Amino acid sequence: MAKSVPVHCPTCRREHSFTPPTFPCACGAPLTLPVLPDAEPELMAQRTWRDSWVAVRCPACDRQGQWPRPEFGCSCGAVVRLPVQPVRDGAAPDGQPPRRPRVVQRRPAFRPVAIRTERDAVMAAERYLRWLGYSDVRRPGNCPAPTASGVDLRATGLVARVDPTTLPTTLRDIECLWLYGLLDSVTGVCFSLAGYAPDARCRADDLRLPLFVMDLTGTPQALNDWADELVRRGQG
């Protein structure tokens, strides 16, 4: 069970006891948000999409994800946002020594499949995810073509959307995919043939959602830093 921390309301100065929320990480381990007990809470005047999420690294698998920022409502009517220990590269969130670098096995060369139809696009993305190490990747309902639900492929710790249309993937597509991943506590990944609208790409960067573009040879290319990270670590 998570250990409670004291919270002082900046409006009425009362002290309260707050238990940080715990969420299931994609690796299966419980992840408790590391709320800082001695930091001053921030009085919240308005809520925005970007400020409602915080980056936290799982102490079990070292995977970094986006989680709802903890908030507390005081009996005086004030709502405060509680500060969380920031992610530090090279160190565990609890201040322990850095983890040893993981030995990454070299993958064989990726063998693409040419894209001529929508089904080929899904097959190309599926083959690429298997190449990354997601051996249990599957299609929901065994549907070979892209689905209307927004999720075309699933694997342990991952959901993926494949957009084979000739128009750039939209902001709504990105946000829907991210919400699917949030509901299942997994990473959302998007593959697109026509690229992404500027606002969709910006939102994906904010949400740490990996973006890939595919050409007609069926070879996905990482488009942002989160896609590069996914390629480096694979499923592990």
Side-chain angles (χ1 to χ4, degrees):
M1 182 175 179
K3 185 179 179 180
S4 61
V5 296
V7 175
H8 292 84
C9 176
T11 300
C12 68
R13 309 309 301 177
R14 294 178 185 174
E15 180 177 311
H16 305 273
S17 180
F18 177 79
T19 301
T22 299
F23 301 98
C25 178
C27 71
L31 186 151
T32 300
L33 297 187
V35 175
L36 296 173
D38 300 325
E40 187 72 18
E42 174 189 355
L43 188 63
M44 196 167 62
Q46 62 179 356
R47 183 181 283 106
T48 64
W49 177 281
R50 178 176 297 184
D51 292 339
S52 296
W53 307 94
V54 62
V56 175
R57 196 180 299 278
C58 176
C61 68
D62 203 37
R63 179 178 298 169
Q64 180 176 316
Q66 285 284 103
W67 303 98
R69 189 180 296 273
E71 299 174 358
F72 177 78
C74 180
S75 56
C76 73
V79 178
V80 296
R81 180 177 289 124
L82 305 178
V84 173
Q85 184 170 344
V87 172
R88 298 191 301 272
D89 292 334
D94 54 6
Q96 295 179 356
R99 297 171 180 264
R100 291 184 177 182
R102 184 176 54 197
V103 177
V104 179
Q105 297 180 347
R106 298 187 63 179
R107 304 186 189 99
F110 175 65
R111 303 176 67 177
V113 55
I115 297 176
R116 299 181 179 86
T117 66
E118 293 183 351
R119 295 184 179 187
D120 291 338
V122 177
M123 183 182 300
E126 179 181 358
R127 179 173 294 191
Y128 188 75
L129 291 175
R130 290 185 185 278
W131 178 73
L132 290 181
Y134 292 89
S135 58
D136 64 341
V137 62
R138 58 198 181 278
R139 307 178 191 185
N142 295 320
C143 180
T147 64
S149 67
V151 173
D152 303 301
L153 297 169
R154 290 183 178 272
T156 300
L158 178 146
V159 293
R161 173 181 175 81
V162 182
D163 186 353
T165 65
T166 57
L167 297 176
T169 302
T170 66
L171 172 63
R172 182 179 181 277
D173 293 332
I174 292 299
E175 292 182 341
C176 287
L177 174 61
W178 179 79
L179 288 173
Y180 275 113
L182 182 65
L183 289 174
D184 292 341
S185 298
V186 297
T187 300
V189 181
C190 192
F191 296 86
S192 177
L193 274 177
Y196 301 85
D199 55 353
R201 182 168 177 177
C202 290
R203 181 58 54 84
D205 288 339
D206 291 341
L207 298 176
R208 292 173 166 79
L209 193 149
L211 299 182
F212 292 88
V213 290
M214 296 191 297
D215 56 26
L216 294 181
T217 68
T219 304
Q221 298 291 335
L223 191 61
N224 59 2
D225 292 341
W226 312 114
D228 286 332
E229 181 182 349
L230 181 65
V231 173
R232 283 194 300 268
R233 63 176 171 82
Q235 187 181 13

